Amino acid sequence: MGFIMEFAENLILRLMEDPKERDRQFREHLYTMKDRCSKTKEMWSYPLRPYGFWTFERHNAQIFWDAQISQVPGRRDPYDDLLQDSSDSASTTSK
């Protein structure tokens, strides 16, 4: 019976990985992820986008096609409201 226990113990020890090697690999992974995160945060902190970033068709197409997005107060042309108000007041005065 001792032979079986000794065999199982040796098998388990061979299958286990070295804790120092595992810790080294984990630290390397952690340091690379931290570097990538800091680089990403730095890129996100830039206030400007490269030239032409917002003029791509994929950005403008969705804004023009989707009525909910295109009529949001920040995106809507303020002169449209003035024109609509003046046309509404003109139509009410002519009645």
Side-chain angles (χ1 to χ4, degrees):
M1 190 59 139
F3 169 74
I4 296 173
M5 292 299 291
E6 186 179 340
F7 175 76
E9 183 181 353
N10 286 334
L11 180 66
I12 290 171
L13 287 174
R14 275 187 290 160
L15 292 176
M16 287 178 60
E17 55 190 356
D18 184 23
K20 291 180 181 176
E21 180 66 23
R22 182 183 62 225
D23 288 344
R24 186 188 63 76
Q25 288 176 349
F26 180 71
R27 283 180 197 276
E28 286 179 3
H29 173 71
L30 201 61
Y31 290 147
T32 56
M33 290 301 292
K34 185 178 183 306
D35 291 340
R36 284 176 50 195
C37 290
S38 62
K39 186 186 294 185
T40 303
K41 284 176 70 175
E42 181 186 349
M43 293 298 287
W44 284 352
S45 70
Y46 290 154
L48 300 175
R49 297 286 183 229
Y51 176 76
F53 182 82
W54 294 112
T55 58
F56 292 140
E57 272 306 310
R58 61 192 157 121
H59 293 296
N60 292 330
Q62 183 181 8
I63 291 171
F64 291 129
W65 292 338
D66 193 349
Q68 283 184 325
I69 296 173
S70 63
Q71 297 304 315
V72 172
R75 296 210 182 268
R76 186 179 177 132
D77 189 8
Y79 294 109
D80 287 346
D81 294 334
L82 294 174
L83 292 172
Q84 186 175 6
D85 290 342
S86 65
S87 66
D88 289 342
S89 63
S91 64
T92 55
T93 58
S94 63
K95 287 183 181 178

